Amino acid sequence: MKQLFESVTLNHVTFNNRIIRSDTWEGIATPDGGTTDIGYDIYEELAKGHIGGIITGFTSVADNDFYMGGMMRLSNDSLISQHKKLVDILHATNTPAFSQLALGAFYKKSASGMYHETDINNMTKAEIHEVVDQFITAAVRAEQAGYDDVQIHIAHFFLLSRFVSPVVKY
């Protein structure tokens, strides 16, 4: 138990203790994925609780990810400043900040202009590369916002988990 409250350095990040707040879905972001005052307050309260590090709630890499409402996003450059503010709040208490990057599903726009979720078996090679690029550019934005690192969400039947799940047949 003694080690639980001791600092530790993993790679380039020093944690004040070994208690990490894992990602969750708060559902409080604006429709465009912006961070709200409630969101800033939640993370500030967590950081002031002397937690060792924080992984944000899953943060979508796509503007057109409709999988769950209220998701934060790092899907375009206009959101970087909001994430920087969040990171600054955490870093003010020496709390390392990680952004959990996620994609709920891949949506294609139909001829009618509506988006429809696409089964992974119907994705083209170009669309799969588009998803890869979305994660890369979101990770770059996370770095620009000052996050200490990123975590990739590959669970809960979000898009990436479908590529590795034995439940999904190809």
Side-chain angles (χ1 to χ4, degrees):
M1 193 66 141
K2 178 181 167 190
Q3 290 180 334
L4 182 63
F5 298 103
E6 293 177 0
S7 66
V8 64
T9 299
L10 301 174
N11 198 3
H12 64 284
V13 180
T14 300
F15 300 88
N16 292 325
N17 59 59
R18 297 164 192 219
I19 300 171
I20 307 300
R21 189 278 196 160
S22 190
D23 66 294
T24 60
W25 170 70
E26 292 89 7
I28 56 173
T30 61
D32 68 345
T35 307
T36 62
D37 287 340
I38 293 170
Y40 294 128
D41 292 345
I42 287 171
Y43 284 104
E44 183 174 29
E45 185 177 337
L46 287 166
K48 286 181 177 178
H50 304 287
I51 198 149
I54 292 178
I55 303 169
T56 65
F58 50 77
T59 302
S60 183
V61 301
D63 284 329
N64 65 341
D65 184 0
F66 310 109
Y67 202 65
M68 295 181 85
M71 285 189 295
M72 293 192 311
R73 298 180 193 276
L74 260 172
S75 51
N76 62 70
D77 291 348
S78 71
L79 297 166
I80 295 171
S81 62
Q82 294 178 43
H83 283 270
K84 181 173 182 356
K85 179 179 177 179
L86 177 60
V87 170
D88 289 347
I89 288 169
L90 299 180
H91 284 172
T93 60
N94 293 321
T95 304
F98 295 76
S99 177
Q100 188 195 68
L101 303 179
L103 184 59
F106 187 81
Y107 293 87
K108 286 186 187 181
K109 198 174 205 177
S110 67
S112 67
M114 300 292 291
Y115 282 97
H116 299 280
E117 186 174 337
T118 303
D119 183 283
I120 64 168
N121 292 308
N122 295 327
M123 291 178 68
T124 66
K125 195 179 239 187
E127 290 167 340
I128 292 170
H129 285 286
E130 179 183 339
V131 169
V132 170
D133 290 342
Q134 287 173 322
F135 275 90
I136 291 169
T137 56
V140 169
R141 289 183 188 107
E143 182 179 45
Q144 291 169 342
Y147 282 102
D148 297 291
D149 220 322
V150 298
Q151 180 186 63
I152 306 299
H153 187 286
I154 308 176
H156 308 117
F157 217 63
F158 275 48
L159 184 74
L160 296 184
S161 71
R162 297 176 201 177
F163 285 98
V164 297
S165 173
V167 174
V168 179
K169 304 295 182 213
Y170 301 100

